[in-house]
Amino acid sequence: MILHIKNMVCHRCRMAVEQILQQLQLHPVAVTLGEAVIEEKTLSSKKAEALRTALSEIGFELMDDKKSKLMEQIRKFIIETVHYSEEPSRLNFSQLLARHTGHDYSYLSKLFSEVEGITIEQYLIRQKIEKVKELLAYDELPLSQIAFDLGYSSTAHLSAQFKKMTGLTPTQFKQLGTHSRKSLDDLGGLG
């Protein structure tokens, strides 16, 4: 059985969900961002409610409807693409997302805006800026490499977008050294 879980945005989230499943004597086969596959074919209403409650206590939500599952699929794809992808994709992001979800991008865009209160593009930019902050804090890559890795057309484009989102240039951010980063699950719109 596949469980769809909202707000799983990092690898620690996966571990937390796996632990909850085991505590409830469920048998996880695989736990990924936004999903858990368990051996059980069905859940009793009592077990499902216990799972809902346990997940809710740590900020997750067991999802039932198709739109919620699709929203989580979009968020998961964006987070994985920006934060965990090994190689930058040179393909158009909207085409990648449409292909990944099996839905027309205009439908995805409209749904995401209605639910999150921001566009997919804005959400993607927020994720990219947080990744830039992370990479600047590590101070291992030049800005030109960061721009290339995150699919920016130029270092100037990245710098302009970074300043627009943070109020600082990448250089100023690096010099401050405070590295005020946000949790990935705090980057959404309304929720």
Side-chain angles (χ1 to χ4, degrees):
M1 169 180 216
I2 298 175
L3 304 170
H4 297 276
I5 303 166
K6 183 177 179 180
N7 297 331
M8 289 179 68
V9 296
C10 66
H11 295 295
R12 283 185 306 261
C13 296
R14 287 183 23 230
M15 292 186 299
V17 167
E18 192 167 351
Q19 186 177 23
I20 287 172
L21 293 171
Q22 290 169 348
Q23 287 171 350
L24 293 173
Q25 297 176 342
L26 296 170
H27 303 91
V29 175
V31 179
T32 60
L33 296 179
E35 277 185 3
V37 179
I38 58 173
E39 289 178 8
E40 290 75 11
K41 301 287 184 220
T42 61
L43 291 179
S44 68
S45 57
K46 183 178 178 182
K47 190 76 88 162
E49 191 52 41
L51 179 58
R52 255 183 232 299
T53 301
L55 290 171
S56 175
E57 287 174 358
I58 60 170
F60 301 129
E61 180 183 335
L62 190 60
M63 296 184 302
D64 293 326
D65 68 41
K66 288 182 181 183
K67 284 185 180 181
S68 293
K69 291 175 186 176
L70 183 56
M71 286 298 301
E72 195 60 23
Q73 190 179 6
I74 293 168
R75 279 190 222 98
K76 175 183 167 186
F77 182 75
I78 292 170
I79 289 168
E80 286 179 347
T81 301
V82 172
H83 295 277
Y84 304 112
S85 181
E86 294 296 318
E87 293 183 24
S89 175
R90 296 293 164 218
L91 298 175
N92 183 302
F93 184 80
S94 59
Q95 291 172 333
L96 284 174
L97 183 60
R99 187 181 311 156
H100 177 76
T101 61
H103 291 277
D104 181 66
Y105 184 77
S106 61
Y107 169 74
L108 297 173
S109 181
K110 183 179 180 206
L111 176 66
F112 195 88
S113 293
E114 287 173 5
V115 174
E116 290 294 322
I118 61 172
T119 66
I120 289 174
E121 291 81 10
Q122 289 167 328
Y123 186 76
L124 177 63
I125 290 167
R126 288 178 183 187
Q127 293 296 333
K128 284 183 172 185
I129 295 302
E130 286 307 308
K131 183 66 176 180
V132 171
K133 288 179 182 179
E134 174 186 340
L135 294 171
L136 289 172
Y138 292 154
D139 199 22
E140 294 175 358
L141 298 173
L143 193 58
S144 58
Q145 185 64 46
I146 294 171
F148 177 80
D149 289 349
L150 290 174
Y152 283 95
S153 57
S154 67
T155 304
H157 181 225
L158 165 60
S159 295
Q161 203 168 66
F162 191 91
K163 180 158 179 128
K164 183 178 178 183
M165 295 295 294
T166 66
L168 301 169
T169 66
T171 303
Q172 290 169 329
F173 178 83
K174 234 170 129 171
Q175 289 171 344
L176 277 178
T178 59
H179 308 302
S180 58
R181 294 184 50 222
K182 294 182 181 179
S183 167
L184 297 183
D185 50 352
D186 290 336
L187 295 177
L190 302 173

